[in-house]
Amino acid sequence: MRLTEAQAKLLFAERNIPVPRSRLVTTPAEAEAAARELGGGDGGPARHQAMVVKGQVGSGGRGKAGGVVFVENPIGAARAAARLLGSELKGELVVAVLVEEAIDVAAEHYLSVTVDASAGRPVVMRSGRGGIEVEAMVDEIEVFPLDPVDPASTPGIADGLERSLVELFVKCDALIVEINPLAVTTGGGLVALDGKIELDDSARFRQAALHDRFDPGPAPTGSERERRAAELGLRLIELGGEVAVLANGAGLTMATMDAVVAAGGRPANFCEIGGDAYTKATPALELVLAQPGVRSLVVNFCGAFARCDVMTEGVVEAWERLRPQLPVAFSVAGTGRDAAVDLLRSRLGVEPHPSMEAAVRAAVAAAAPATTEGSEV
Ligand code: GDP
Ligand code: MN
């Protein structure tokens, strides 16, 4: 996982690697407030300090692409943020910018710790010429090999910032930690002006907290109802036909959908309520039936370890509560079948079908548009 500059700088700061003071913001108004807070003056001629506004995307080379903007005051910061936010930078949408105090730079260096595959060990890479792409300075980079077992104990690591960077590299199972440029300030100090960190995804099992901290997770997908189902721990997939499908287990659910298609129908959606999901039968039924275009429902349960009378009771209770006005066809089989049949007869007055195919045929027939009336064209 590749961290953004702002995330990398958080990790730097936690290891006492100096970084400019900054605020991560997502609106121009926040950028203005951040610039004011960081001492960017009041917009008048007597500015106290210039600011840098930097688009946060996963790749470098932002400076050349116009993603690093120097501004004179908070109004300028707001303007730069307005221009960057929502724009595309290095092929990515900018959703956050870093507002940072500008540093007076005397010289720019390069420092990184990475894995040198050919040497089979981690290395420190140093260069007195930073601020440019690393490819452009290969000849001027000093490659310093590290002890592969305990990199931080390698004799010859410079104390201070360099040692901190090596420790960070080890501590977070990184593939690379890079500071480019590492600024030498006019006051003689060192400041990380940019930061790049790539975490090793193969080490996620022992870096779960670190990965979870920065991983936004997969972007939400699916319809509103599908997301609602997922929040409840239900698997609902919407398809757009007319026959809604409730079944237990992935295999039986797929088989039920195949049967719907084989019977000449189109599945509207499917929701699995096997396992303990029967306790969520009411929201499951609500979500499945809320989809526009649903004209009938087939409920297909086959009990094994999960008893089909327990699952059926969940649906019966949901049905009693919601009293939906649409045709439903049940098939119940396996463990707990007889009790499930009794429940359907006594509480819903419904006779289950003798097989899955029969139930599916009934649901498909009930969903078929009425063609005889001929009045709804
Ligand atoms: P990149 O182009 O994505 O690598 O973004 P950087 O964060 O490295 O910014 C590009 C360049 O802007 C750097 O190489 C610096 O030369 C310059 N820069 C960034 N921040 C500052 C700052 O605070 N002061 C000064 N003087 N230059 C800066
Ligand atoms: Mn850079």
Side-chain angles (χ1 to χ4, degrees):
M1 175 171 40
R2 170 83 194 254
L3 303 190
T4 62
E5 172 196 12
Q7 293 168 337
K9 282 178 168 173
L10 278 177
L11 295 182
F12 289 168
E14 284 169 13
R15 298 232 142 227
N16 294 319
I17 294 170
V19 294
R21 292 184 308 130
S22 67
R23 296 278 179 279
L24 187 66
V25 301
T26 56
T27 66
E30 283 172 10
E32 184 178 339
R36 235 174 263 290
E37 195 190 329
L38 291 167
D42 55 9
R47 76 180 175 89
H48 305 291
Q49 192 171 27
M51 301 276 137
V52 194
V53 180
K54 308 173 84 176
Q56 297 301 294
V57 291
S59 36
R62 295 163 303 160
K64 268 192 195 158
V68 177
V69 185
F70 290 80
V71 298
E72 296 292 310
N73 52 45
I75 301 296
R79 253 190 233 124
R83 188 157 65 69
L84 287 173
L85 289 163
S87 76
E88 201 182 281
L89 178 58
K90 306 292 290 182
E92 257 181 82
L93 183 69
V94 180
V95 294
V97 295
L98 194 65
V99 178
E100 206 169 65
E101 60 173 340
I103 302 293
D104 289 329
V105 176
E108 298 190 336
H109 293 186
Y110 174 95
L111 184 66
S112 71
V113 185
T114 188
V115 180
D116 183 338
S118 56
R121 56 178 63 215
V123 293
V124 173
M125 303 214 285
R126 311 162 174 142
S127 173
R129 262 191 77 203
I132 52 172
E133 278 143 55
V134 63
E135 291 79 8
M137 54 170 147
V138 265
D139 299 336
E140 293 151 88
I141 289 187
E142 177 197 351
V143 179
F144 177 73
L146 296 170
D147 184 303
V149 177
D150 186 2
S153 73
T154 314
I157 296 178
D159 278 329
L161 194 147
E162 184 171 296
R163 182 172 305 283
S164 296
L165 199 65
V166 173
E167 285 168 0
L168 176 63
F169 172 84
V170 173
K171 201 77 183 183
C172 66
D173 280 312
L175 294 171
I176 184 167
V177 293
E178 180 189 85
I179 304 174
N180 184 30
L182 173 60
V184 182
T185 67
T186 45
L190 289 174
V191 181
L193 285 195
D194 191 12
K196 167 178 164 179
I197 295 180
E198 191 167 347
L199 301 176
D200 187 347
D201 292 333
S202 304
R204 191 172 188 138
F205 70 98
R206 61 181 182 201
Q207 295 286 355
L210 181 63
H211 285 248
D212 290 349
R213 179 176 168 194
F214 294 122
D215 192 346
T221 56
S223 74
E224 192 65 42
R225 284 181 296 273
E226 286 172 334
R227 286 201 294 275
R228 174 96 191 94
E231 279 164 21
L232 292 164
L234 292 164
R235 187 201 298 276
L236 167 71
I237 304 290
E238 300 194 325
L239 298 155
E242 296 80 32
V243 181
V245 174
L246 269 187
N248 66 297
L252 188 65
T253 306
M254 292 304 119
T256 311
M257 309 251 290
D258 286 347
V260 168
V261 173
R266 294 189 308 170
N269 55 33
F270 65 87
C271 185
E272 263 182 63
I273 57 170
D276 66 353
Y278 71 88
T279 59
K280 300 161 192 160
T282 300
L285 198 58
E286 255 174 331
L287 289 166
V288 155
L289 300 183
Q291 186 184 322
V294 170
R295 300 171 65 104
S296 71
L297 170 70
V298 57
V299 181
N300 186 17
F301 288 151
C302 182
F305 289 113
R307 300 183 55 93
C308 94
D309 54 334
V310 174
M311 295 184 280
T312 301
E313 186 166 17
V315 174
V316 166
E317 266 165 22
W319 202 273
E320 287 173 338
R321 216 176 292 169
L322 302 171
R323 303 229 151 267
Q325 298 298 309
L326 96 168
V328 57
F330 283 87
S331 166
V332 288
T335 317
R337 176 193 174 272
D338 293 347
V341 171
D342 286 346
L343 275 168
L344 292 171
R345 282 180 184 152
S346 62
R347 288 174 60 181
L348 296 189
V350 163
E351 186 63 27
H353 291 264
S355 68
M356 158 173 132
E357 288 80 3
V360 164
R361 272 198 304 274
V364 169
T371 49
T372 44
E373 282 95 328
S375 60
E376 5 170 333
V377 177

